Structure formats: structure tokens, C-alpha cells
Amino acid sequence: MMLSRVASSLYWIGRYLERAENVTRLLLVTSEVAVEVEGFDDALAQSQWDELLQGLSSPGREALEFSPESGLALPYYRWLLLDADNPVSVRSSLARARDNARSVREVLTREVFTDLNECHHDLERLRRRGLRDPALARSELGKTHRAVIGILGSIEHTLSRDQGWTFMKLGEAMERTRRTLLVLHAKLPALDSRAERRDLPLFYAGWRGLLRSVASLENYRAMHGGALKPEQVVRFLLLEPSAPRSVLCGVNRLRAYLDRLPGGEAVSEADRILGRLHAALSYDDDGIAERESSSFAAEVADQLTTAHEAIARQYFPA
Amino acid sequence: MEWIQETTGFDEIFAADGSTRPHYEAAQRILAGMDDRELARREKLQRLSLLNQGITFAVYGAREGTERVFPFDFVPRILAADEWKSIEEGLVQRVTAINLFLRDVYGEQRSLKEGIVPWELVLSRPEYKRQVMGVVPPGGVYTHVVGTDLIRDDTGRYVVLEDNCRCPSGVSYVLENRNLLSRSFPELFSAYPVRPVEGYPRQLLETLELVGPGESRQAVVLTPGMFNSAYFEHSFLAREMGVPLVEGFDLVVENNHVYMRTTEGLRRVDVIYRRIDDDFLDPLTFRRESTLGVPGLINAYRAGNVAIANAPGSGVADDKATYAFLPDLIRFFLDEEPRLGQVPTYLGMRSDDFAYMLDHLDELVVKTTGGAGGYGMLMGPFASKQEIADYAEQMKADPSGYIAQPLIQLSAHGTWIDKAFRPRRVDLRPFVLYGDRVRVLPGGLTRVALREGSYVVNSSQGGGSKDTWVLEERDA
């Protein structure tokens, strides 16, 4: 039993922390790929950043100021790590996670609150100091990524597995699954078209980048070896139940968390949506193989949005 | 390391002849073993720890949501066992009398009829709530939590400055200060038998559970929300007691019972530890426009289906004019002499007093009767002629809304400022719980006016705090 308001805040803490972790990682990975090809193929470097913004549904490039000193990467670092005007920046996500945490502090452990609060203050200090060069940005980004993972560790190791924890994990799984889908939707069209250009090293760099974007390169290699086969990569990210960031794994987690919560009319709708997705992803390989993967990803993301709305209707205050 | 002694008023650490009082000797010796840099390092760690743990308060008037760390001074305020014993006895007596008075005000009104307190003083106050007339809370207890502000006059005698009978705050800082000091200056504790304070949340929960109606005992803490200056404390107490922290819209009244909205539907609430003022509790009974409260709450309370701590209407006892009559009320209800002193008080409602007040504004401290937090007061001895003239005009519009007191020096206590231990003015707010009996948390919150020469200890106006130690009685 818990207050609806508290359940809602915990769910959103789960979502914002996962979002902060995702954006940090995507920023790290994108910068590595983009910095490497910058100079060699400017258009390709630019397209990496464009895909990143698209995959994050981040507001656009017009707001950014580029200069010869800043290079291509630094304005993106500032915009996506620290800018308070960008709703998907790491800073914005952490600030919202912290606002929620402050409003439900009584149900969090000291460890969770302090880690989150400290990370927020560190970013605020960084924002006041400013990011002067890409190397500093890169190292601060790495630090922030470890700090966010530290918060997730505190949640894992100090919170009791009660309803509150379940709502937080529900939010986390929802966000993570959607993020994987959005990355697939944003990156697949370009990756496919590059195959036409027969530019093999870049072609594989692109697929490697995709796997790294969703923290799955090592996992993929452990299962399928070092050679990247595009079709296999897509199947892996959609259908591999043991890969923590695959869509099927996410759907299974969402179902398991919902199972732990009290039932109700609205939430049975979410159950049905997730059940259908589970069946399709588990048993309908052929059906999925026929689909165009990018639009399939967008469609699944929409269904998750509907499931989210049903969950909110059931448990959260109007 | 330099220690500077206060020259006016009472110094907590030094006797008049300049010698260190015996119970401060060990602390002074231990601090003398650390140099500037060491002390600065530890102080910085303390500040960072407070910020990272979010032990902050919101500042009104500043940008919404502005958080500030409540400054903490590491030199502990130390109370010897016998010194504390007499304070404790005085507080027990006082809080007992306050509750008898409240029961009387909302019942027979003997103390008004017999002229112990002028009836117009009580019944005309906005803190008097006729809507709860005749309601007797369980055990006749109205104030489950009281914070009484004590100061020390020139001779070191403790006197009551005011009682806080509505939603006294600060107890979370008592607990967090102890926690902080024991981590940053563990050496200090090894030399003293300091009485623990960590039992407070458990005792508060016991107190709340005692006053619940019937068998079930679901308690909640009711907060106005995150932007309230004391939000940290509300959240702290809920977490320490393991009960839900609710806001007004989390609660709903149906059939005169109070419920909270949960993920499993509505759940009964039996005891509300409210940190919202009476006026905002229930828009159906008190202020209509309040969005912080719960419509129908007072009806549920009148029906005996929910307990509210402190009881609505308790504010009548901590009114600054009622204060003047507390010694008489103690004699009337308990047939005892008051154990704690008071500050002489002039009442604007008495025409002689009011005339005196107007003539002596430059030497008096004037306060509004219902005010709190140091807002709206005049410190005559420090005010300009213009400020005094303006204030006098304001007073003439509502004489009975003001009281005045001579400026009491306030004792001074060594405080680490700018590489020396400098005397700064302090007060003391002990916390008193009343369930089946009156219990006093050893010590309380010592607030310190950090600005040189300042007498205002409020956190909103440049105050800080200290860890406050009550020493265990040692066998000789």
C-alpha cells in the first residue's frame, strides 16, 4: 500500500534516472564515433549528431552556437549534458529526478537521496564553471555516467523490494525499453542505406555504434562472436530475452513488475498490450522479419505509451 | 586559538572572573589541540555534508525553491545535569498548565470567568477556534508537541521568551546536528557523558499512537509541501517514524472519516500530525481559499474519528498576550509557583501599558501578538527614529495586537567565526512531548545569532545552530 502521489513520483524517478543514464551513454558513444570521423567525413560526423538528437527527441540544432574553437562536439556536449533549457539534457533529467526525490524523501534511503543530491549539485557546479574544451567535457561526462550508475546501485542495494521499489523499476523498464526502440527507429534507416555505399569500415563502425549506444556490444559478441551481421544485430536488440536492453527483455520486465502490483480495470489494459507484445516478440519471428524494422520500432514505442497511460490512470493521482 | 569573552550579559563559557566554567574545560582543551586549518577543513566537510544530504531550508521571498544550508557551529552548547533538571521540571509544569488552560478555554472557561485571563483577550484572538468548542481530545491533551524558547538573563537565570504550541519546528536539526558533530568532531564526545537524542522520533510516534481513536492507529504527517521552509523536517520525521508524509490532496473525508488515496484505493487515517496552521486545515471550516487542507477534516475531528496533533485551537495558548498570564494560570490550575521565569510584558490591550509602550519604544522590543519567526517585530534599541515613528503609527491602528518587553541581553556563547571563538547570542528551544505524560527531549535546539551584536537568532535572519548537550548525572 502506498500513496498514489508517492507511487507516481517513484515511477518518474525511475524514468528520469534511466533517461539520464541513457543520454549520458549515448552522448559518450556518439562523441567517440563522431570525433573519429570528423575531418575524414564531416557529413557523416554531422549525421551522427543529428541522429542522436532525433533519437532523443531533443530540441534542435538551431539553438547551438558553433565556432572554430568549439569544434563540432563541444556545443552538443553543453546542450545535452548541462543545458537547463533542454528538457532531455542530463541536467534536466537529474533535476527532475531530484525534485521528485525531494517530494518523497521519506520513502527513500539516505544513500539513494544523498547520491542523487550530490550528483545534482556536481552538475550545477559544472554548469556554473562551464565546459571549456572537449577533453574536459569528455572526462566530466564519464564522471557523470559513473555517478548516475552509482545512484542506480544505491537503489539496487538499499531499497526494500516493496511496492515503491516496484514502481521505480517499472518506470526504469518503461524508459529503457522506449529508449532502445527510439534508438533503433532513429539509426536503422541510415545504417541500411550506408550498406549501398560499400564503405565497409564505416558500415561496421555504424553497427558497432548502434550496439554500444544501447550498452550491448559486449553482450552481442559474447553470444554471436566478433563478426557483426546487421540482421542478427536487429534481432538481438529486439528479441533476445537475456540481453538487458532488448525490447523483449524490457517487455518481460514490465509484465513482471505489473504482476507484483494490485490489479484493477485500467491496468488490465496495460497487461493486455504487454501480453500481446510479449507473444509477438517471442513467437512471431517470421511476422517481424517481414516488417521494416524502423517503423516496427516506432509502432511498439507507441503501444508502450498507451500502456504507460493505462498505468497512470490506475495508480497515479488525476 | 583565541577565545573572546562577552562583556555584556551572561557568557555561557566564561565566569565573570574570566575563568572557564568547569563543564566547558574539556571541550576547550580538545579544540585547543587543533589548528586553524584543521578546524576550517572540518567545517568545510560539515557544510558539504549538509548540502549533499539536502539538510536545507527554503527561504521565503527569495526565488521559489531556493534552498539554504542552516549554518552549523561546531562548538557545542553544554548544559550540566542539575541545570537541565530545573529546566525540565519547569517545562513539565508549564506544558501541564497550558493543556489544562486549553481544556478550560474550550470547556467550562473557569479561568475566564474568574478573571485570571481577561475573556476578551482569549475570545477575540483569531487563534481561538469556536468551531472546536466542547471537543475534548483523548486524555485532554491538546499540545502533543511544544517547543518553548528559553533565554538567559544577565544573571544566567533561564526565562521563557515564548511557547510554540502550534507547529514548533527545529527538532530535526537537533537530531541532525548531533549526527553531524559526532562524525566531524568525535574527539569532543569522548570527554563527556552526553545524553542521547535519537529516541525522539520513536517517542513522537508513541505519543501520536496513544491519542488515536479506537483500535487502529494509522498515523500520517501532514505537510503543506516541498516549498514550506520546514519541509525537510516534515519529511525527516515521517521517514524516521516510518509513516506516510501526506499533502492535503492525498487525504479525503467520507462519512466523517479520513482516508488517504493509495495505489489500492482509500485507506483509513487515524492520527494526523499536522504541520499546517489551523487556518489552512479545512477550507470548509476555516479559510475558504486554502488549498493546503482537507475539506471536512474538522467535522471528522469533532466526530472523534480522527486525532489531530496538535489539536486545532491550541494557538490560543501561545499567543504573545496570553503569555503574560501564564504564571497566574500555573498558580490557578496547579496551585504551584512557576518554576521558570518570564520576561516582563506590557500589553497593548491595557491603555496604561499602551501609553507606556508608545513613550518607551526606543528601549522596548515590540511584537505582534500572533506573529512568529521574528517577522513584524520592532527592536527599539536598534531602530532608527523613522522606523520607530512608522511602527508607532502601525500600533495605534490596533493596540491590542501588540505587546512589548524590555530588551533581554540573551546569553552569549563562543562560536567559531573568522579564526577565533567569538561570543554570539544564543537561545534554547527544548521540545516537549505530551501523550500519557509530559516528556522533555534532553537539550533542544540552540540557535545562535551569527552576526556580531545581533539578537535575532531566526534562521530566516542570519541565525545558525549548535549541537546542544545535556550531561548525564555522574556518580561522585
Side-chain angles (χ1 to χ4, degrees):
Chain A
M1 189 274 301
M2 75 188 321
L3 289 175
S4 302
R5 175 177 56 81
V6 174
S8 163
S9 288
L10 291 171
Y11 175 85
W12 282 105
I13 291 172
R15 288 198 68 157
Y16 286 128
L17 284 177
E18 178 66 21
R19 192 172 301 175
E21 194 274 336
N22 267 271
V23 175
T24 322
R25 177 160 32 77
L26 285 167
L27 199 46
L28 279 168
V29 173
T30 307
S31 69
E32 278 166 28
V33 178
V35 167
E36 218 180 299
V37 298
E38 202 178 326
F40 171 70
D41 183 344
D42 284 347
L44 182 61
Q46 184 60 61
S47 74
Q48 295 294 315
W49 292 110
D50 290 343
E51 283 166 27
L52 175 62
L53 291 187
Q54 190 208 339
L56 294 174
S57 324
S58 164
R61 230 165 77 190
E62 313 79 65
L64 305 189
E65 284 170 25
F66 295 91
S67 67
E69 303 81 54
S70 76
L72 188 55
L74 196 55
Y76 286 103
Y77 280 127
R78 290 188 184 128
W79 179 235
L80 289 168
L81 180 63
L82 294 177
D83 206 307
D85 293 330
N86 183 355
V88 300
S89 72
V90 177
R91 186 263 167 201
S92 296
S93 291
L94 281 173
R96 286 194 222 169
R98 174 175 175 270
D99 277 349
N100 277 289
R102 286 185 68 212
S103 76
V104 297
R105 213 190 144 148
E106 72 284 359
V107 300
L108 299 175
T109 54
R110 201 176 267 262
E111 286 83 352
V112 172
F113 185 83
T114 308
D115 285 1
L116 175 52
N117 202 36
E118 197 172 337
C119 185
H120 165 81
H121 284 304
D122 285 347
L123 273 192
E124 287 297 292
R125 268 192 291 271
L126 188 59
R127 196 160 69 93
R128 284 195 297 272
R129 276 207 316 269
L131 283 179
R132 283 199 191 78
D133 62 84
L136 172 71
R138 179 63 183 70
S139 91
E140 291 296 340
L141 196 56
K143 239 189 266 172
T144 306
H145 193 222
R146 286 192 295 280
V148 174
I149 287 179
I151 302 167
L152 298 171
S154 292
I155 290 171
E156 206 54 29
H157 290 285
T158 65
L159 285 188
S160 41
R161 268 42 176 176
D162 55 10
Q163 239 187 56
W165 179 84
T166 309
F167 275 109
M168 217 187 245
K169 299 307 267 190
L170 190 67
E172 176 194 285
M174 179 65 80
E175 185 70 22
R176 183 180 296 175
T177 317
R178 281 177 50 82
R179 288 288 145 195
T180 298
L181 289 163
L182 294 177
V183 168
L184 285 172
H185 176 62
K187 282 189 175 282
L188 284 180
L191 285 172
D192 286 340
S193 72
R194 248 165 248 153
E196 313 290 315
R197 287 169 51 185
R198 305 273 167 209
D199 198 345
L200 281 180
L202 277 182
F203 177 70
Y204 284 115
W207 287 95
R208 204 165 53 235
L210 171 65
L211 280 167
R212 292 204 48 213
S213 303
V214 287
S216 299
L217 181 62
E218 288 93 342
N219 298 351
Y220 177 88
R221 280 179 179 153
M223 185 167 282
H224 296 295
L228 300 185
K229 296 180 191 134
E231 202 172 302
Q232 205 167 40
V233 171
V234 174
R235 289 178 59 84
F236 181 83
L237 292 178
L238 284 176
L239 308 178
E240 177 50 49
S242 68
R245 288 173 191 275
S246 78
V247 177
L248 177 56
C249 176
V251 168
N252 288 343
R253 283 180 68 202
L254 287 168
R255 297 182 73 206
Y257 296 135
L258 269 192
D259 261 356
R260 295 171 50 120
L261 295 175
E265 209 175 294
V267 80
S268 60
E269 185 192 340
D271 251 339
R272 275 197 301 279
I273 294 169
L274 294 168
R276 276 199 304 271
L277 280 176
H278 168 79
L281 294 164
S282 303
Y283 307 117
D284 191 18
D285 288 21
D286 296 343
I288 291 173
E290 285 168 18
R291 299 288 313 277
E292 199 275 298
S293 301
S294 170
S295 60
F296 176 71
E299 212 172 280
V300 176
D302 284 346
Q303 290 177 41
L304 288 185
T305 304
T306 314
H308 158 82
E309 285 161 0
I311 291 168
R313 263 201 311 286
Q314 177 75 44
Y315 299 114
F316 305 154
Chain B
M1 212 71 54
E2 195 187 358
W3 287 82
I4 301 164
Q5 186 176 353
E6 181 54 62
T7 48
T8 56
F10 187 83
D11 190 305
E12 300 278 346
I13 297 180
F14 296 100
D17 64 4
S19 63
T20 300
R21 297 182 195 280
H23 59 295
Y24 275 100
E25 281 170 5
Q28 238 182 10
R29 197 177 56 242
I30 292 164
L31 290 173
M34 303 174 192
D35 62 18
D36 282 5
R37 282 175 44 207
E38 177 65 15
L39 293 174
R41 188 185 65 84
R42 295 195 194 203
E43 198 175 46
K44 191 175 163 202
L45 283 178
Q46 286 177 343
R47 225 178 11 252
L48 202 61
S49 164
L50 289 171
L51 182 67
N52 285 339
Q53 291 183 69
I55 303 176
T56 52
F57 65 96
V59 187
Y60 297 127
R63 192 168 54 86
E64 178 144 321
T66 300
E67 299 161 49
R68 253 184 235 168
V69 169
F70 190 16
F72 173 73
D73 179 66
F74 57 77
V75 187
R77 198 246 187 100
I78 308 174
L79 300 168
D82 53 343
E83 191 180 346
W84 176 250
K85 192 157 174 280
S86 67
I87 294 176
E88 192 175 18
E89 287 168 356
L91 291 170
V92 170
Q93 179 192 51
R94 197 169 173 93
V95 169
T96 307
I98 282 174
N99 279 276
L100 290 170
F101 171 59
L102 283 167
R103 185 169 184 167
D104 187 53
V105 165
Y106 292 108
E108 295 178 54
Q109 301 192 334
R110 279 197 308 133
S111 59
L112 310 187
K113 286 170 190 153
E114 297 186 25
I116 310 298
V117 188
W119 63 267
E120 67 271 25
L121 173 88
V122 174
L123 304 188
S124 67
R125 288 279 159 245
E127 292 78 23
Y128 167 73
K129 301 295 180 200
R130 56 177 173 73
Q131 295 91 337
V132 292
M133 193 69 198
V135 182
V136 183
V141 178
Y142 288 75
T143 66
H144 311 86
V145 187
V146 175
T148 292
D149 292 345
L150 301 172
I151 58 178
R152 295 181 87 170
D153 65 14
D154 295 1
T155 64
R157 188 178 67 122
Y158 284 91
V159 296
V160 175
L161 189 62
E162 64 183 47
D163 303 291
N164 295 279
C165 297
R166 288 171 270 187
C167 312
S169 67
V171 75
S172 57
Y173 294 109
V174 174
L175 275 66
E176 290 290 2
N177 284 353
R178 178 63 53 83
N179 196 337
L180 188 61
L181 192 68
S182 66
R183 276 183 292 129
S184 51
F185 286 85
E187 300 90 341
L188 286 170
F189 288 83
S190 58
Y192 287 95
V194 183
R195 288 181 62 186
V197 291
E198 43 85 25
Y200 181 83
R202 194 188 61 246
Q203 292 173 6
L204 175 59
L205 184 60
E206 282 168 14
T207 303
L208 296 174
E209 288 180 340
L210 267 171
V211 300
E215 282 304 297
S216 71
R217 294 276 190 269
Q218 177 67 58
V220 299
V221 177
L222 174 61
T223 174
M226 236 166 72
F227 297 110
N228 184 270
S229 65
Y231 179 76
F232 167 76
E233 176 155 310
H234 308 162
S235 153
F236 175 90
L237 289 173
R239 176 163 41 111
E240 293 282 323
M241 292 193 289
V243 307
L245 178 67
V246 303
E247 296 176 22
F249 65 82
D250 292 323
L251 297 182
V252 56
V253 177
E254 282 183 9
N255 299 320
N256 274 351
H257 286 90
V258 182
Y259 299 90
M260 52 185 164
R261 300 178 213 269
T262 79
T263 53
E264 289 160 55
L266 298 180
R267 285 284 182 277
R268 240 328 257 282
V269 171
D270 307 293
V271 186
I272 298 175
Y273 178 44
R274 50 81 173 238
R275 297 294 298 258
I276 294 184
D277 264 350
D278 282 357
D279 286 343
F280 298 96
L281 269 182
D282 180 352
L284 297 184
T285 308
F286 303 125
R287 263 196 219 186
R288 256 163 215 281
E289 73 277 14
S290 167
T291 52
L292 302 174
V294 188
L297 179 60
I298 294 301
N299 275 342
Y301 171 70
R302 276 200 295 242
N305 294 331
V306 68
I308 300 178
N310 291 347
S314 301
V316 108
D318 69 11
D319 183 280
K320 289 187 171 66
T322 311
Y323 163 90
F325 298 94
L326 238 274
D328 289 338
L329 289 169
I330 290 172
R331 291 184 194 101
F332 179 71
F333 287 113
L334 300 175
D335 200 18
E336 293 173 2
E337 274 306 299
R339 291 167 182 271
L340 286 169
Q342 294 220 136
V343 183
T345 303
Y346 302 95
L347 300 173
M349 63 181 294
R350 290 179 178 148
S351 51
D352 292 356
D353 282 14
F354 191 68
Y356 180 89
M357 284 158 70
L358 287 179
D359 284 349
H360 297 80
L361 279 179
D362 58 342
E363 52 195 69
L364 294 171
V365 178
V366 190
K367 302 174 184 173
T368 55
T369 51
Y375 291 100
M377 62 192 276
L378 175 80
M379 300 284 282
F382 305 111
S384 69
K385 283 210 157 59
Q386 187 59 45
E387 281 168 331
I388 288 178
D390 291 348
Y391 203 85
E393 284 312 305
Q394 199 182 312
M395 287 169 65
K396 285 175 193 160
D398 177 25
S400 65
Y402 294 86
I403 60 118
Q405 295 167 335
L407 180 72
I408 303 288
Q409 284 290 343
L410 265 69
S411 56
H413 193 293
T415 301
W416 176 250
I417 291 172
D418 198 12
K419 296 182 182 173
F421 295 98
R422 301 171 194 276
R424 289 292 182 270
R425 304 293 168 177
V426 292
D427 76 350
L428 175 64
R429 175 179 290 182
F431 291 89
V432 187
L433 292 175
Y434 192 174
D436 51 354
R437 65 197 163 87
V438 182
R439 290 191 276 190
V440 189
L441 178 70
L445 181 64
T446 293
R447 296 183 297 177
V448 51
L450 295 172
R451 280 198 287 264
E452 188 169 10
S454 169
Y455 287 77
V456 186
V457 296
N458 302 80
S459 54
S460 51
Q461 303 188 31
S465 73
K466 288 170 166 293
D467 190 13
T468 308
W469 293 359
V470 171
L471 303 182
E472 193 78 57
E473 222 158 341
R474 268 193 197 160
D475 296 330

